[in-house]
Amino acid sequence: MALDLISLSDFRNHARSELSGTGHFNLLTGENGAGKTNVLEALSLLAPGRGLRRAPLAEMPLGGGDGFSVGATLTDGSGEPVRLGTFVRPDRPNRRRVQVNGAEASAASLGEWLALSWLTPAMDRLFADSAGGRRRFVDRMTLALDPAHARQAARYEAALRERNRLLGDEAPPDPVWLDGVERHMAEHGSALARSRARTIAAVAAALAEFPDEPFARPTLAYAAGGPVDLADFAAALRESRRRDRQAGRTLTGPHRDDMEVVMAGKDVPAAICSTGEQKAMLIAITLAHAELAARGRPGVLLLDEVAAHLDPVRREALFDRLRAGGSQVWLTGTEPTPFAAIAGEAAMWMVERGQLARR
């Protein structure tokens, strides 16, 4: 199954753009600032969350307006197609709405139809980033595999904010109220941690099947920020009340999780590997995850400027892997030359100032 009949209205620099006749490979080329990444961002909004830029809704409408829409048809060439759409209306500019076949739906429900993954240049510093950046990366991978993950994360964050508020008050918190908040934290936090651990383990197992060359193969490990077992986490929260009250915040739990990444061939932490090695490991992780995600639902993989810094051998290996994968692939580049190996099988568009022309 793949996305086709894609439409963007008043989104970023696209007043009205349509893409049809899509394929397994889909290539957008044009100068920097033409609007290529904007198309990928629009597609990323057909998944739960804030999209590949994590941008506020107010930044997305064309010309500083207060509304936009993105739609696409999910089809496999047989059976009944599914129309997915997301939009912001001028009367509610801070609320993103979702429709499936014209009926109102939740943003979380998009994850039941489509498994979206992406890789952008902004993610190149993942291994040197903060633990929070890697948690967001893991959560996005987890959400593509388990749409219920977003609900657990939201409920845990709400309980965490409430516990931190109680701990920060001058007066000692009501122990009964605190007990209830910590029960919610333990329930949703334990589920959150287990989901992250399963995702990292699944991607790590998939990566173990990857060759060390031409991409640097990483090994992954889940670094828990606290006890994962529900009862153990609940006990840890009770025992740490005095310490956390002194600190003014909760110091244990999945909000302190991390993902440890090591380059397999050298047994060197990814954070101190070369820029090229880090990029290669990030590509390998993205490909392994996309292959996993596409097993249960239609998969879409968005790769922004991914070929720009790859030598011909690695580009060819990347295209071979993508060709064999089950996900529909969207790529961007400033020129078509690096994509010559897939030119005969890709749907291609030229992007210029928010306008699309089929090549």
Side-chain angles (χ1 to χ4, degrees):
M1 297 183 78
L3 294 178
D4 198 9
L5 303 177
I6 297 159
S7 63
L8 285 66
S9 296
D10 296 326
F11 184 81
R12 297 288 189 181
N13 68 336
H14 291 267
R16 179 70 182 176
S17 292
E18 297 183 349
L19 301 94
S20 60
T22 61
H24 180 76
F25 285 112
N26 301 275
L27 175 61
L28 304 166
T29 59
E31 296 179 354
N32 292 329
K36 306 183 299 295
T37 304
N38 294 341
V39 175
L40 300 193
E41 183 184 23
L43 294 177
S44 74
L45 293 177
L46 297 176
R50 296 170 55 184
L52 60 78
R53 283 191 175 110
R54 293 182 53 80
L57 290 175
E59 293 183 4
M60 297 180 186
L62 173 69
D66 46 15
F68 70 82
S69 67
V70 177
T73 297
L74 183 62
T75 178
D76 64 354
S78 63
E80 196 69 27
V82 177
R83 187 67 183 174
L84 305 176
T86 186
F87 58 95
V88 168
R89 288 180 173 165
D91 59 336
R92 298 290 296 275
N94 296 315
R95 181 190 174 196
R96 182 162 79 95
R97 302 176 70 175
V98 167
Q99 288 185 345
V100 177
N101 285 337
E104 292 281 338
S106 68
S109 69
L110 289 171
E112 300 172 6
W113 293 100
L114 198 62
L116 262 159
S117 305
W118 56 79
L119 180 60
T120 70
M123 295 163 58
D124 285 354
R125 288 188 54 80
L126 177 70
F127 306 124
D129 198 357
S130 66
R134 286 185 292 279
R135 279 195 299 276
R136 287 191 294 272
F137 180 80
V138 172
D139 281 339
R140 196 179 72 247
M141 290 198 300
T142 304
L143 187 58
L145 300 176
D146 177 13
H149 182 72
R151 183 171 61 252
Q152 297 290 359
R155 291 176 178 176
Y156 176 77
E157 289 295 331
L160 174 64
R161 287 193 297 271
E162 178 63 10
R163 185 176 190 267
N164 285 344
R165 185 189 68 79
L166 292 172
L167 294 173
D169 287 345
E170 292 185 8
D174 179 346
V176 175
W177 183 255
L178 191 55
D179 284 344
V181 170
E182 289 179 351
R183 279 197 299 272
H184 282 288
M185 278 191 69
E187 176 186 352
H188 301 299
S190 177
L192 184 65
R194 290 197 303 271
S195 292
R196 287 173 177 165
R198 283 195 300 268
T199 295
I200 291 173
V203 175
L207 284 167
E209 303 299 321
F210 275 46
D212 288 332
E213 294 292 341
F215 293 112
R217 181 170 58 85
T219 60
L220 311 182
Y222 172 59
V228 174
D229 178 76
L230 190 155
D232 291 343
F233 185 27
L237 289 172
R238 286 193 301 271
E239 293 167 2
S240 65
R241 287 177 181 179
R242 181 184 297 275
R243 180 197 63 177
D244 291 352
R245 184 164 167 74
Q246 290 174 343
R249 65 187 189 281
T250 303
L251 298 176
T252 187
H255 59 286
R256 298 176 69 88
D257 282 354
D258 202 348
M259 178 179 67
E260 296 175 347
V261 183
V262 172
M263 185 174 171
K266 294 184 177 180
D267 197 26
V268 174
I272 61 174
C273 288
S274 71
T275 301
E277 289 169 338
Q278 290 181 351
K279 182 73 172 184
M281 285 188 284
L282 186 55
I283 290 173
I285 292 171
T286 302
L287 294 178
H289 171 259
E291 290 171 11
L292 287 172
R295 292 176 185 175
R297 285 161 290 149
V300 174
L301 180 57
L302 313 175
L303 300 175
D304 193 17
E305 300 287 353
V306 72
H309 303 293
L310 296 178
D311 59 50
V313 172
R314 287 183 171 82
R315 278 202 302 268
E316 187 65 37
L318 171 64
F319 296 146
D320 284 345
R321 193 91 197 188
L322 294 173
R323 190 178 285 112
S327 294
Q328 184 185 46
V329 184
W330 290 80
L331 304 117
T332 67
T334 55
E335 58 180 358
T337 304
F339 305 94
I342 60 170
E345 54 193 300
M348 302 172 65
W349 291 266
M350 178 69 182
V351 187
E352 184 176 1
R353 297 181 182 179
Q355 301 290 320
L356 296 173
R358 188 71 181 250
R359 281 187 177 275

